[in-house]
Every structure is written in structure tokens, then in C-alpha cells.
């Protein structure tokens, strides 16, 4: 049995990592990965805005002809004229700068975060009017992301474990969308697992057998058999 223990070591390490990650507190970044696809109103404005972190946005495929009067990106609590008028100015002055599909990084003012700001606009402050705007929305969850935080890790395994054998519509851990949470959904999670020891994620049934065997061996009673030539441990 002792000779077999090294063979189990990778699985045991994987189990320990999963346990540690399951009990460790998660540090959530609000709305990271959320996006807003700017709808065109004036001056050819369009682009895809992505939340990089709580204090930073990135605009990709940005188009704007550079015209207008005093133009900035503005955040609003909602996608309305009143909300943008009372909103938060971010990024540089856009007047006179033409964009033809490039990217732009927008840093929020010191002390501000994206939390509470639900819409964004290329905003002409003098008129006031929106040249292009959109509401932030969460992107579709990747396969195996059962808690919707954008990562496939031990927390998603916990969601699967806690809802296994449940059936119905809209179950978070129904990775294959067949209406039942079962081992097939575990496989979806395991195939996309991106946490530590990703190459040594054990099957749930095999994991239970392995742990039980190791515990039984560790605490099994031992006796000595004495003979005239040797002492044998069992």
C-alpha cells in the first residue's frame, strides 16, 4: 500500500487545492467583463465598451468623426438624457479627434468605480445630446461557469455539487442544458476548469473512494507478528 501512495499524490494535492479554494473568500471585481455596444445616433459613433476593472473601461472598434461641441464619454445611472446630464465625465476631450476603428482606454476619476453606473454615452455636453450610447450587460457565461463570476474554478464545482440530481429549467449548474444536473454537467465543468492543478481534477465518485481508502489505511489497526527470525508489521 505504501508503494501506491505516491501514485495517489497528484489526486490528493488536487483535492486539497479544491478545498482551499472553496473555503477561501473571493475578491469580487464588480462587473468585470461587462460590455456596452454603442448604438449610433450622430457623427458615426460606434464601438464596444468593456469593463476592465472597477476603475477602467476599454473601448474597441471606436468610430467617431471628431465633430460636435465639447464631447466626452459620460456614464449615467440609466440610458436617458437626464441621467447623462447628471452623469460622470470620463476620459479625454473627444472634440476634434477622429477615431476609425481604434481603441481607447477610459480611466474613471479618482475615488470613482463603475458600480452604480449602468449606461455610457459619447455625450455632447453643450447641447446636450448623445452621439451614441448603450447599457452595460453581462456577457454570456462560459461553459462550466456555474456561479457567473467569469471564472471556472472550485466555486463552480460547489454549485454543481449542491444542486446535483435537481431537474427543471434554468438551473445554474445544468451545463449541457438538458434540464438535469448530473455527472454530465460535472464533465462540462472539469473540461473547462481553469484553476490550480487543472490537469488533475478527479472524478467525484473516484475522489470519494480515494479519500475513503486513504483514511481507512491511515487509521487501520496494526499488529505485530513475532517469530524466531523477523518482526513483521501488518
Amino acid at each position: 500500500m505504501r508503494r501506491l501512495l505516491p501514485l495517489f499524490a497528484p489526486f490528493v494535492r488536487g483535492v486539497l487545492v479544491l478545498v482551499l479554494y472553496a473555503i477561501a473568500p473571493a475578491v469580487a471585481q464588480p462587473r468585470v467583463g461587462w460590455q456596452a455596444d454603442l448604438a449610433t445616433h450622430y457623427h458615426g459613433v460606434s464601438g464596444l465598451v468593456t469593463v476592465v476593472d472597477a476603475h477602467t473601461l476599454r473601448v474597441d472598434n471606436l468610430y467617431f468623426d471628431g465633430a460636435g461641441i465639447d464631447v466626452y464619454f459620460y456614464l449615467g445611472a440609466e440610458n436617458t438624457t437626464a441621467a447623462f446630464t447628471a452623469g460622470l465625465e470620463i476620459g479625454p476631450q473627444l472634440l476634434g479627434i477622429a477615431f476609425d476603428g481604434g481603441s481607447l482606454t477610459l480611466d474613471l476619476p479618482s475615488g470613482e468605480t463603475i458600480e452604480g453606473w449602468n449606461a455610457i454615452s459619447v455625450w455632447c455636453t453643450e447641447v446636450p445630446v448623445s452621439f451614441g450610447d448603450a447599457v452595460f450587460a453581462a456577457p454570456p457565461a462560459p461553459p462550466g461557469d456555474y456561479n457567473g463570476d467569469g471564472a471556472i474554478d472550485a466555486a463552480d464545482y460547489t454549485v454543481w455539487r449542491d444542486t446535483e440530481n435537481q431537474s427543471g429549467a434554468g438551473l445554474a449548474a445544468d451545463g449541457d442544458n438538458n434540464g438535469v444536473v448530473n455527472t454530465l454537467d460535472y464533465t462540462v465543468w472539469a473540461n473547462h476548469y481553469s484553476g490550480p492543478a487543472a490537469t488533475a481534477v478527479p472524478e467525484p465518485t473516484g475522489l470519494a473512494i480515494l479519500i475513503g481508502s486513504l483514511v481507512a489505511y491511515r487509521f487501520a489497526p496494526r499488529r505485530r507478528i513475532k517469530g524466531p527470525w523477523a518482526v513483521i508489521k501488518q
Side-chain angles (χ1 to χ4, degrees), residues 9 19 23 25 32 50 55 72 75 97-98 124-125 149 151 159 163-164 174 179 194 199:
V19 171
I23 64 176
V32 169
T50 302
H55 310 280
Y72 293 87
L75 295 174
I97 304 174
C124 181
T125 61
D149 66 353
V159 176
T163 57
E164 187 181 10
D174 184 13
S194 57
T199 59

Side-chain angles (χ1 to χ4, degrees), residues 21-168:
Y21 267 73
I23 64 176
V27 179
Q29 286 280 356
R31 301 187 183 182
V32 169
W34 284 40
Q35 295 182 321
D37 192 2
L38 296 172
T40 304
H41 299 315
Y42 303 102
H43 298 288
V45 167
S46 65
L48 183 65
V49 185
T50 302
V51 178
V52 177
D53 57 41
H55 310 280
T56 312
L57 308 178
R58 185 185 70 251
V59 189
D60 296 311
N61 298 318
L62 176 59
Y63 287 87
F64 173 50
D65 65 10
I69 307 172
D70 209 21
V71 183
Y72 293 87
F73 273 98
Y74 261 68
L75 295 174
E78 57 185 8
N79 192 1
T80 64
T81 298
F84 288 128
T85 300
L88 179 68
E89 176 188 307
I90 59 173
Q93 166 72 264
L94 301 178
L95 179 63
I97 304 174
F99 292 87
D100 189 20
S103 297
L104 178 65
T105 298
L106 303 173
D107 296 317
L108 273 63
S110 178
E112 294 285 349
T113 72
I114 191 64
E115 197 67 25
W117 301 110
N118 302 313
I120 188 168
S121 169
V122 176
W123 185 251
C124 181
T125 61
E126 293 297 320
V127 175
V129 66
S130 175
F131 292 169
D133 49 55
V135 174
F136 288 103
D145 181 18
Y146 296 149
N147 67 350
D149 66 353
I152 296 88
D153 52 22
D156 302 299
Y157 170 81
T158 300
V159 176
W160 172 83
R161 181 196 63 200
D162 292 345
T163 57
E164 187 181 10
N165 297 322
Q166 292 186 16
S167 60

